[in-house]
Amino acid sequence: ISIEPSFDVKLAKQLPDRTGSNYHTALTGARGARVLELLDDVSPGRRLVPLLAHLAESFDPLLREKATLFVGRRIQSAAWAAKQLEQPDNQVRASAIESIWGVDTPAARTLLQRCKTDKSDHVAGNGFVGLHMLGEPGIVEEIQNMAVADSNKARATAAWTMGKIADPSFAEQLASLVKDEDKIVRGTALQSLIGLRREEAKAAAVQDVEKIL
């Protein structure tokens, strides 16, 4: 991008176009999804939206999921995200909610609140993360309560959400969830706890450097 500013446009054109005329040579599946991830990182702004918006309705589930996140992050619309919640694909629905993280409008807050009780654990978790990012009161306590729920799925969602938020106050509860009776809960909690410890180590390293300076 730094050498050739139009490279993101050229790369985007390697994905399936709106008419499907290039599908036999286009990047699809995991390769196409990876291209969308890269473009999400290196191409700010909306200039690729006209080229890629149609992929949010692709029959390729990986392209559909990544394109939903890419487009949603750039249009930042709670109404658009709400429309994607009507999709049957839970990964797409979760990506739509992730795309409005940081959007602080009444519509966005209402949508995120609605997601807390969604049928999909991933969507619910993304709703909690989004609300926490907006400073919504009581979210940490709600997640802590979810971590002791009878449902294995609820506890797994709580463990994942704790890792995503990375609040040090979750450490003790994550350590407890590592010993949970359900293997999915245990695995999710362990991954989140490791991530939390890494964040704590990074913060400690920054403090050490600041003391030296």
Side-chain angles (χ1 to χ4, degrees), residues 14-56:
Q14 300 303 309
L15 295 165
D17 62 25
R18 190 175 297 277
T19 65
S21 60
N22 71 333
Y23 198 83
H24 64 291
T25 58
L27 298 172
T28 59
R31 296 176 70 196
R34 180 59 180 149
V35 166
L36 281 166
E37 288 178 345
L38 293 171
L39 290 174
D40 198 15
D41 284 340
V42 303
S43 182
R46 296 189 176 194
R47 74 172 182 168
L48 293 186
V49 171
L51 285 174
L52 301 176
H54 66 283
L55 293 178

Side-chain angles (χ1 to χ4, degrees), residues 24-201:
H24 64 291
T25 58
L27 298 172
T28 59
R31 296 176 70 196
R34 180 59 180 149
V35 166
L36 281 166
E37 288 178 345
L38 293 171
L39 290 174
D40 198 15
D41 284 340
V42 303
S43 182
R46 296 189 176 194
R47 74 172 182 168
L48 293 186
V49 171
L51 285 174
L52 301 176
H54 66 283
L55 293 178
E57 300 178 2
S58 172
F59 63 83
D60 184 323
L62 288 176
L63 289 182
R64 192 166 62 240
E65 175 191 347
K66 298 301 181 182
T68 297
L69 185 59
F70 180 93
V71 174
R73 280 176 169 165
R74 281 153 182 79
I75 64 176
Q76 295 279 274
S77 167
W80 184 87
K83 186 176 180 181
Q84 307 316 305
L85 282 184
E86 299 173 6
Q87 299 277 356
D89 187 331
N90 284 330
Q91 293 302 107
V92 169
R93 299 171 71 246
S95 290
I97 298 308
E98 182 177 347
S99 76
I100 61 167
W101 283 354
V103 178
D104 193 358
T105 64
R109 286 179 180 267
T110 298
L111 182 59
L112 292 170
Q113 288 284 0
R114 168 184 157 194
C115 289
K116 292 193 300 183
T117 56
D118 194 87
K119 62 182 180 180
S120 164
D121 299 324
H122 195 173
V123 173
N126 279 354
F128 277 109
V129 173
L131 288 167
H132 183 268
M133 290 174 68
L134 296 179
E136 189 75 13
I139 295 302
V140 168
E141 290 76 15
E142 286 192 60
I143 296 170
Q144 289 173 332
N145 290 336
M146 190 190 306
V148 295
D150 292 335
S151 167
N152 294 343
K153 288 185 177 181
R155 296 197 305 278
T157 299
W160 178 86
T161 307
M162 288 176 177
K164 200 69 178 176
I165 292 174
D167 189 314
S169 67
F170 290 139
E172 183 177 347
Q173 206 158 19
L174 281 171
S176 177
L177 288 171
V178 169
K179 303 173 185 177
D180 195 90
E181 61 183 22
D182 183 78
K183 66 178 181 180
I184 295 178
V185 176
R186 292 196 301 270
T188 306
L190 179 59
Q191 187 174 11
S192 292
L193 186 59
I194 291 172
L196 183 59
R197 295 307 188 199
R198 284 175 180 165
E199 291 301 316
E200 290 176 342

